[in-house]
Amino acid sequence: MADKSDVTLPLSISAGIHIGVIIILALGIDFSHKPEPMQQVSAPAVKAVMVDQQKVANQVEKLKQEKRDAERREQERQAELERKAQEAKQAREREQAQIKQLEQERKQQEIETQKANEATKLAQVKQQQEKEKAVKAEADRKLKEQERKVAEDAAQKAAEKRKVEEAAAAKAESDRKLKEAEAKAKAEKAKADAEAKAEAKAKADAKAKADAKAKADAEAKARAQQEQEMADALAAEQAALSQTMNKQMQSEVGKYQAMIKSTIQRNLVVDESMRGKTCTVSVRLANDGFVISSQTKGGDPNVCRAAKAAILKAGKLPVSPDPAVYNLMKEINLIVEPTF
């Protein structure tokens, strides 16, 4: 406001001076053109007017220069204000950038702290899992040891049972042969008796001969029936003996299958993903138990891979020394189910 008043006042003065000069000049021109004779303006007056005009021109130029100076100062002031405003803006932007950087650093620190806490929790969980795994491994070891003892006891009981059954079979064979001998002796005695009776009756009359023949026919029929009954009894004994032998062989096969499963289980590497899953494996064995080949027939892929690896690691599996039992189990199908 002060700068504006400084400019307005000189302009008002300049305008007043110009108006005065114009009026004076107008009056001077009018007086010089009047037809009536009048006193002419003297040279000093004209000189004075010229001097005044020069002063006015100088004053006007001075006012213009003052105006230009005022405008220049105003421009400089505006430029200074804009410069300060720009500096203030840049300072605010730097402050905002610094605040943003500090906020990002704070968030990064929070993220790193959270990650550290999560890592600590994960380590604690992993430590607990390792501890539980160790406890479970010890429990599995004890369980497998118990299963091994059970399998050994079962094998021993099966061997004792096989001996008892073999003794029973030998006694049955002995009894059968004894019965056959007794039957044969009875048949020979009966035959001899029949021949003696026939010879005695041959000397009798026709009626007695006919009666003797009828009696001999009846005895022969009875003897044939007796022989058939003895043959049926012998066949029944042989069938019972065969059934006993089959049961014994199946028992042996079951025993060795249990031992094979126990061997595979001891070498089986399991994890939690295998729980409740199985795999069917076909195994071909040599007569000394060497694994000729093994193939998976179906089941969980992880369990199948673990089962094949366990069989490969074992190399040899338990087999019976009895050739008949070996023939029944040289190609066997097993269902492998991980135990936990």
Side-chain angles (χ1 to χ4, degrees), residues 26-42:
L27 292 175
I29 294 170
D30 289 340
F31 290 145
S32 62
H33 287 285
K34 282 186 178 181
E36 294 86 5
M38 62 175 300
Q39 188 178 1
Q40 295 189 357
V41 178
S42 63

Side-chain angles (χ1 to χ4, degrees), residues 80-280:
E80 180 66 17
L81 291 175
E82 290 178 359
R83 184 184 65 79
K84 291 182 178 180
Q86 184 67 21
E87 290 179 352
K89 180 180 179 182
Q90 292 176 354
R92 286 195 302 273
E93 290 177 351
R94 287 194 298 270
E95 183 179 359
Q96 290 176 355
Q98 186 177 7
I99 292 172
K100 185 176 180 181
Q101 179 66 25
L102 291 174
E103 181 65 18
Q104 290 178 350
E105 292 177 356
R106 183 187 64 78
K107 290 182 178 179
Q108 184 65 28
Q109 184 65 29
E110 289 180 353
I111 292 172
E112 291 177 356
T113 301
Q114 184 177 1
K115 287 182 179 180
N117 292 336
E118 291 176 354
T120 301
K121 291 180 181 178
L122 183 60
Q124 292 175 351
V125 171
K126 186 175 181 181
Q127 184 179 5
Q128 181 64 25
Q129 290 176 348
E130 291 294 335
K131 183 177 179 181
E132 293 175 354
K133 187 176 180 181
V135 173
K136 183 179 179 299
E138 179 63 18
D140 291 343
R141 186 189 66 76
K142 291 180 179 179
L143 179 60
K144 289 180 179 179
E145 181 67 19
Q146 184 178 2
E147 290 176 350
R148 183 184 64 78
K149 291 181 179 179
V150 171
E152 290 177 353
D153 292 342
Q156 184 177 0
K157 289 179 180 179
E160 294 174 355
K161 182 179 179 182
R162 179 171 58 82
K163 290 180 181 179
V164 171
E165 290 174 350
E166 288 176 352
K171 185 176 183 303
E173 181 66 15
S174 177
D175 292 343
R176 181 185 66 78
K177 290 180 179 179
L178 180 61
K179 288 180 180 179
E180 285 181 353
E182 290 177 351
K184 185 176 181 181
K186 287 181 180 179
E188 290 176 354
K189 184 177 182 300
K191 183 178 180 181
D193 292 343
E195 289 176 352
K197 289 179 181 179
E199 185 177 358
K201 289 182 182 299
K203 296 177 181 181
D205 53 14
K207 187 176 183 304
K209 187 177 181 179
D211 292 339
K213 185 178 185 299
K215 185 177 180 180
D217 291 340
E219 288 178 354
K221 183 176 180 181
R223 185 169 64 250
Q225 184 177 0
Q226 184 180 11
E227 290 177 354
Q228 182 64 39
E229 290 176 355
M230 292 178 66
D232 291 341
L234 180 61
E237 288 180 1
Q238 290 178 344
L241 179 61
S242 177
Q243 186 176 5
T244 300
M245 293 296 293
N246 286 335
K247 288 182 178 180
Q248 178 183 351
M249 291 177 69
Q250 291 297 329
S251 175
E252 284 290 294
V253 170
K255 178 188 73 175
Y256 280 98
Q257 281 185 346
M259 294 170 67
I260 289 172
K261 282 188 175 182
S262 178
T263 301
I264 294 173
Q265 287 289 350
R266 286 197 300 272
N267 292 281
L268 192 65
V269 179
V270 300
D271 57 53
E272 191 62 27
S273 65
M274 300 179 186
R275 185 180 292 276
K277 298 177 181 178
T278 62
C279 178
T280 302

Side-chain angles (χ1 to χ4, degrees), residues 15-31:
I17 294 171
H18 277 78
I19 293 171
V21 171
I22 292 170
I23 294 172
I24 294 170
L25 291 174
L27 292 175
I29 294 170
D30 289 340
F31 290 145

